[in-house]
Amino acid sequence: MTEIVRSKAVLRDKVLAWKRAGEVVGVVPTMGALHEGHLSLVEAAQGCDRVIVTIFVNPKQFNNPSDLANYPRTEEDDARKLARFRVDVLYVPGPEEIYPDGFATSVSVSGLTDMLCGAHRPGHFDGVATVVTKLFTQTGADRAFFGEKDYQQLQVVRRLAADLDLGVEVVGCPTIREEDGLAMSSRNLLLSDRARVKAPALFTAMEAMAEGLRAGGDASDLRAEAERRLLANGFTEVDYLDLRATDGLRALERLEDGVPARLLAAAWLAGVRLIDNIAV
Ligand code: PAF
């Protein structure tokens, strides 16, 4: 069984010893409720000499208290799932290890965080950027592994790592999907059986929209059609369904020659906010 460390002091001693031996440290930051998507990150991290997986349900990135309260917490199961990998430490800090009394610092990445999820979840990316900066410094990671499923988050983390000279290589890994196309996410656990059956409609609508874009269609027309399909399939609200340039996430109305693009979406189904993105 993987060793669980809850104290940053204990973690620091281990990491210092690894660094002295010249070992490359990889980290997979998570909020737990691990699924095959997370495990693919742990798999990708196996090329590092040492692997740390972190589990911390970060209160600062939830803009809604009931969302935080309902977030699945499954530490024992998570530890069991990690047993098939080489994981040196499962770091599960308590809140005081991350946000000690009097904590007053926030890391804010401007520009990239004003749009998409940032526009719908005020403060969310400041919370993510702050905790990721703390996790990078506490783990002393040389490489950090993040899923492309949270595409905007990946861009934000890349930006902050570069801007703050954190010396971490941020590695993006492909989204892992269920057989019916639903992107794996800890939030899928919150879907009722009925809602779970409807959830793949998000990916299907995005695929159809991507096809229309490749055929030369306009994003606004195709978005309206995709929204109609989603609402007809039980979704209650679409926060966004946007065509964006892969680099910098500039909004696009149609595909442009030589500009790699992505379709990004967030939509509500039975009270659960699902996000997804695909390359177009
Ligand atoms: O993607 C997540 O699970 C979280 O946003 C992260 C990166 C672990 C920060 O809390």
Side-chain angles (χ1 to χ4, degrees), residues 16 25 44 56 65 79 92 111 115 127 151 202 204 220 233 243 247 262:
L16 276 176
V25 178
F56 179 65
V92 189
M115 55 181 102
Y151 200 76
L202 181 58
T204 313
S220 35
N233 267 289
L243 180 65
D247 189 20
R262 258 184 129 85

Side-chain angles (χ1 to χ4, degrees), residues 29-32 38 54 56-58 61 71 124 127-128 131-132 135 146 150 153 157:
T30 83
M31 296 204 299
H38 295 113
T54 72
F56 179 65
V57 181
N58 173 32
Q61 72 186 77
Y71 202 84
H124 167 70
V128 170
V131 81
V132 165
L135 291 170
F146 289 83
D150 296 295
Q153 168 174 282
V157 171

Side-chain angles (χ1 to χ4, degrees), residues 63 114-122 237-240 266 268 273:
N63 52 317
D114 300 339
M115 55 181 102
L116 304 168
C117 280
H120 289 270
R121 303 184 66 192
E237 207 179 331
V238 177
D239 278 354
Y240 60 81
W268 290 86
R273 188 171 185 273

Side-chain angles (χ1 to χ4, degrees), residues 24-82:
V24 172
V25 178
V27 68
V28 180
T30 83
M31 296 204 299
L34 301 184
H35 49 66
E36 288 299 322
H38 295 113
L39 299 181
S40 74
L41 305 180
V42 179
E43 178 73 56
Q46 298 296 293
C48 302
D49 299 315
R50 298 288 177 170
V51 178
I52 303 172
V53 175
T54 72
I55 297 182
F56 179 65
V57 181
N58 173 32
K60 284 198 192 292
Q61 72 186 77
F62 288 81
N63 52 317
N64 176 338
S66 68
D67 193 20
L68 172 62
N70 292 335
Y71 202 84
R73 288 160 173 87
T74 56
E75 186 184 309
E76 263 181 40
D77 246 33
D78 292 344
R80 250 194 305 278
K81 285 178 186 163
L82 291 172

